Structures are given as C-alpha cells and as structure tokens.
Amino acid sequence: MSAGTGRTAAGASEIEFAPALPGDAKIEPGIGYLQPGGLIVHTGWSHSSPPASKDQVLSQHDAYEGTQSWKISTPDGHPAARFIGYLTYERAEQAAAAIAAALPGKAWPARASGEGPLRQLALDASSTPAMLPLTRGGKPDWGWGCQWINWTMPDTRAQYEQMIAAHGVSPANCRTCAGIKKRWGRTVWLPRTGHWPRWNPSVHRRGRECRAHCMCMACISPPAIGTIGTVVDDNGQTVPGVRSAYTSTPIRDADHQEVPSEERPFAWFTQLLEEGGCVILDNRPCEGLWPIGVRHDDAFFCETGLDPDLDS
C-alpha cells in the first residue's frame, strides 16, 4: 500500500494493520489509519486475479485520492461497521467517528476484543440511514443501491427488521427502487426485486456480504396471477376455490407447445380470464393468491369469503 493519502483527520495516525481472517489464509500486513475514537480505517486485501496458487498471500489495495472502498475495523482486525465499503476516505472517517461516539466512553478501548459484545454495539450504531457510505448533496444517500452499497447480514431476524424499519422498506433516496416503481407502472407482470434481500439464513448467511436488490432466486419475486371460482371438494361439495400461478410459470398453448418465457404473462392472463371471468394480479410475495404477512381483513379475499387454505 502507498504510504498514505495525506488527508488523515486531526489526531489520526498511520499504523501497521492486518484484518482478522478465518482459517489458514495468508496475509501480508499493511497500513491502517488509527482514528481518535480507536477504530481503524483502511483499504481492503485481496489475491491477485486469478490466484496463482492456494498458498498465495493476500496483499493490501493501494490507497489513492478519489473514490474507492474504505473499511472500518477494530484494532484486532474485525469489521466494526455494518456497511462494508465507504466510497471515500473522508466519509469513512466520519462514520468511524460516529460509531465510536455511540459506544460507552465514546471510544473503542485499545484492548477490547473485536469478537465481544462491544462489536455488536458498533454494528448497531452503523446500521442507521445516517451511516450510509454514499452521500449526495451532503446527505446520506442510497444512490443506485443495487450497484454501490453492500453490508453484512445481521445475526438475528430482529436486528434485520430493525434495520429495515430505520431505512424504510423502499428507501426514498434509492434510485433503484424509484426506477423499479416507475417500470412497474408499465410492466407490473414482470419479476422484480425488493430493496432488501429476504431473510433466508440458508442463502444469506449471518455476517455474509449482501446488497440491495439482490438478484438471487431466493430474492426475486415473480408476481402472482390467478382467478377465483368453484371446485368440488373431497366430499363432492361445490366450494369456493382459487387457481393461481406466477407470471413466469411455464404454460402450454392450445397446440400443447410451451409458450416462450416473455409471452407467459399474457398466456396466463388469457387462459385465466376465459376460465374464471376475472384475473387477479399481485406483485407482493404470495402463497397462491394470498399475500404473505397480510392479515385476512386487509387481503383481497376478505370481500369474497375465500379462505387462503383453499388454493387449488
């Protein structure tokens, strides 16, 4: 790493530093900037690309003026911020100072373990909207959230929900969210992503890096499409029923040929309209045609008398 940016805050000092890594990873010590509040601001470490061998040593990225990824860690090398990369050194310094100010004694003790309870206080303090890595017009900003801002998945569902509540389900300052909402006005039948990756510990494991508008199969939400009518139950009685699918579900045409994926929403619409006389389209996460997490009194079927368990 180059010997410094020349832009450290008053009281910050350049020290030898290396992040704590799991397993037998080999790492070459580099440089960190010890902040007045006791935390370290530094660039990242990586192998050359592609790695030449399993024994290759991780080396630090050079520091330079302008936009690059800056991280905040405890003195013993553990991440101290929920957001992973601050886009300028100055913004990382501001965040490190704010995190330290939220701790008991308003500083990270020099001998405190980065694996102890104090680190959770630091992560909680760094999860708020004021701590976003990007700023616009002097205010914290999500920008194009799907491209720039990564963070670590919280350890518990409660912490995850708390972070969403603080920022909003679709933050007003996320231009990716705004773009998706605008497109949905014209293409509501297309799959989409939500701002927050879904809570799914088997996919988005605790402490692992994640990002806004995740495109993995666990996070993409295809809209539900369906119709209502009647079915015959096991006792031979005619009862209310629902037929539903996703707009991306495979479907065959009148000639028993599979409909191309881009035409499936329209094929489903035509078939369901002919079958039930109406079509219901819901772009919220659904089970059948029942929005997940929506109370009965708030859902469409409160006016029809249909029970969500009667999907067929």
Side-chain angles (χ1 to χ4, degrees), residues 1-2 5 14 47 64 84 94 125 139 187 247 266 277 280:
M1 178 179 176
S2 55
T5 64
E14 185 178 300
H47 294 114
Y64 52 80
I84 293 172
Q94 294 169 3
K139 296 181 180 180
T187 57
T247 53
F266 310 104
I280 301 165

Side-chain angles (χ1 to χ4, degrees), residues 17-97:
F17 175 77
L21 296 176
D24 299 326
K26 297 180 180 179
I27 187 167
E28 180 181 86
I31 292 172
Y33 298 96
L34 177 61
Q35 303 298 303
L39 296 172
I40 309 293
V41 171
H42 59 92
T43 59
W45 269 256
S46 67
H47 294 114
S48 60
S49 183
S53 71
K54 294 182 180 179
D55 296 327
Q56 190 172 24
V57 177
L58 290 160
S59 58
Q60 189 174 21
H61 304 158
D62 288 343
Y64 52 80
E65 300 291 343
T67 301
Q68 72 177 118
S69 181
W70 290 90
K71 303 177 185 299
I72 301 172
S73 295
T74 63
D76 57 354
H78 295 277
R82 177 69 66 199
F83 293 105
I84 293 172
Y86 283 83
L87 301 185
T88 64
Y89 176 74
E90 292 81 2
R91 181 63 181 148
E93 281 191 328
Q94 294 169 3

Side-chain angles (χ1 to χ4, degrees), residues 270-283:
T270 300
Q271 185 179 114
L272 292 167
L273 185 62
E274 292 176 351
E275 183 173 322
C278 66
V279 177
I280 301 165
L281 190 66
D282 199 322
N283 60 18

Side-chain angles (χ1 to χ4, degrees), residues 132-272:
L132 286 168
L134 182 66
T135 59
R136 186 168 182 251
K139 296 181 180 180
D141 192 76
W142 276 99
W144 292 97
C146 63
Q147 296 178 339
W148 294 109
I149 297 180
N150 295 358
W151 68 92
T152 54
M153 182 61 74
D155 289 338
T156 68
R157 180 67 180 265
Q159 293 166 355
Y160 166 81
E161 297 290 354
Q162 184 178 4
M163 189 174 179
I164 293 176
H167 289 262
V169 174
S170 297
N173 58 356
C174 176
R175 276 174 286 290
T176 303
C177 283
I180 288 175
K181 289 177 183 177
K182 184 176 181 180
R183 290 195 300 275
W184 280 352
R186 304 186 300 270
T187 57
V188 69
W189 56 86
L190 294 179
R192 86 291 187 201
T193 61
H195 183 87
W196 301 95
R198 290 188 180 177
W199 178 260
N200 188 328
S202 64
V203 178
H204 299 294
R205 294 189 292 278
R206 297 171 177 86
R208 293 295 297 273
E209 181 175 337
C210 54
R211 66 173 54 197
H213 298 282
C214 177
M215 294 293 289
C216 79
M217 293 307 296
C219 292
I220 290 181
S221 298
I225 189 170
T227 190
I228 58 176
T230 58
V231 296
V232 177
D233 65 14
D234 294 339
N235 298 318
Q237 301 296 315
T238 299
V239 296
V242 174
R243 186 184 180 196
S244 65
Y246 292 120
T247 53
S248 56
T249 301
I251 181 175
R252 294 185 180 275
D253 60 20
D255 297 325
H256 302 288
Q257 299 297 313
E258 188 165 306
V259 175
S261 58
E262 65 274 12
E263 298 177 15
R264 288 173 186 170
F266 310 104
W268 275 113
F269 186 92
T270 300
Q271 185 179 114
L272 292 167

